[in-house]
Amino acid sequence: MSYGKIGVIGAMKEEIEQFLEHMEQVEETQKAQVTFLDGLLHGKQIVLCKSGVGKVNAAVTTQVLIDTYGVEAIIFTGVAGAVDPVLDVGDIVVSSECMQHDMDVTALGFPRGTIPFADTSIFPSDGQLTRLAAQVSGELFPGRVKVGRVLSGDQFIANRDTVASLHNEMQGACTEMEGAAVAQVCSMNGIPHVIIRSMSDKADGSADVNFAEFTMQASENSYRIVDHMLKQL
């Protein structure tokens, strides 16, 4: 498995700062109010960036990585809320595919999550990157890894009923605020990608408590996975 330059995105500072600590020959540039850090990690050329929270930020950042920096693959790393009841805080979800849970045109007869008049509303992850991410995650966190559907929306989910609907109606493993945007832009440009999420909370009534408490540990988990992946790419 070989890729050229790889884009590594996190939404928040906590999700990318450990990568920066280990990068070499870093060149910093800015575009669309996002800072891009172009350098080497384990001898692999990467472009590291903090997209900011939400699907628009993630989409813009992804397109800039492709157009301006010529990345050949994109890895999104960070935290998420678990919606599959088998998952607990600290567990890992590797995306098999992504979908927007807040795309809702049901009033016009479209199923929930469907992008009207689009060829597809479900965006599969790259098979090779997904397999590598699952393999590395399984080695680092045995018995705590699920490959499944990542749901994205511009909402911080903290309601048990909403969690149940995301799992039961939309077959989600976890929910966050960027992955489906990254996946869609990558799909539109023919760029392989994978989303790797460590569960910082269970996206239920305790989310406001768990999120702050576990974000740093979850970010550490995600960093370790991507760091090991880059060594093998």
Side-chain angles (χ1 to χ4, degrees):
M1 184 188 309
S2 179
Y3 299 94
K5 187 181 293 187
I6 296 175
V8 178
I9 310 174
M12 302 181 296
K13 174 176 68 70
E14 294 87 350
E15 295 168 334
I16 69 163
E17 57 188 359
Q18 292 186 68
F19 292 94
L20 184 57
E21 290 174 7
H22 296 90
M23 287 178 66
E24 300 174 330
Q25 301 178 31
V26 178
E27 294 184 10
E28 179 178 319
T29 54
Q30 285 198 333
K31 190 170 181 66
Q33 300 182 19
V34 176
T35 299
F36 295 86
L37 302 156
D38 194 338
L40 297 176
L41 184 61
H42 307 310
K44 187 71 182 176
Q45 195 166 12
I46 73 167
V47 183
L48 178 71
C49 52
K50 181 187 74 172
S51 64
V53 174
K55 292 186 298 178
V56 173
N57 284 327
V60 169
T61 300
T62 302
Q63 193 66 56
V64 171
L65 280 171
I66 295 167
D67 288 344
T68 302
Y69 297 93
V71 300
E72 296 182 12
I74 290 178
I75 301 171
F76 197 105
T77 176
V79 301
V83 297
D84 188 326
V86 305
L87 293 168
D88 207 344
V89 172
D91 289 352
I92 306 297
V93 171
V94 175
S95 64
S96 58
E97 59 193 16
C98 293
M99 190 176 187
Q100 297 180 62
H101 68 75
D102 63 347
M103 178 61 70
D104 188 348
V105 197
T106 53
L108 297 182
F110 293 93
R112 183 179 177 186
T114 299
I115 303 170
F117 317 117
D119 291 336
T120 184
S121 302
I122 301 170
F123 302 97
S125 304
D126 177 71
Q128 287 188 318
L129 288 175
T130 299
R131 283 190 292 273
L132 178 58
Q135 173 195 324
V136 169
S137 300
E139 292 168 355
L140 292 172
F141 305 100
R144 305 194 67 183
V145 181
K146 181 178 180 66
V147 177
R149 177 179 289 179
V150 173
L151 297 177
S152 305
D154 288 324
Q155 302 165 353
F156 188 91
I157 304 299
N159 178 277
R160 288 180 175 84
D161 292 337
T162 304
V163 168
S165 73
L166 292 179
H167 179 59
N168 297 329
E169 296 176 27
M170 302 192 73
Q171 295 78 55
C174 68
T175 181
E176 35 85 298
M177 301 175 74
E178 297 85 24
V182 174
Q184 183 173 347
V185 173
C186 284
S187 175
M188 294 168 74
N189 287 273
I191 299 295
H193 79 279
V194 68
I195 312 297
I196 301 165
R197 294 290 192 173
S198 179
M199 302 303 100
S200 60
D201 60 85
K202 298 196 70 166
D204 56 16
S206 62
D208 56 338
V209 176
N210 288 351
F211 186 78
E213 183 177 353
F214 292 109
T215 291
M216 292 305 298
Q217 182 58 54
S219 297
E220 165 73 17
N221 293 350
S222 295
Y223 161 74
R224 290 179 61 197
I225 294 166
V226 178
D227 184 64
H228 280 68
M229 286 178 67
L230 291 171
K231 293 174 182 176
Q232 299 184 43
L233 286 173

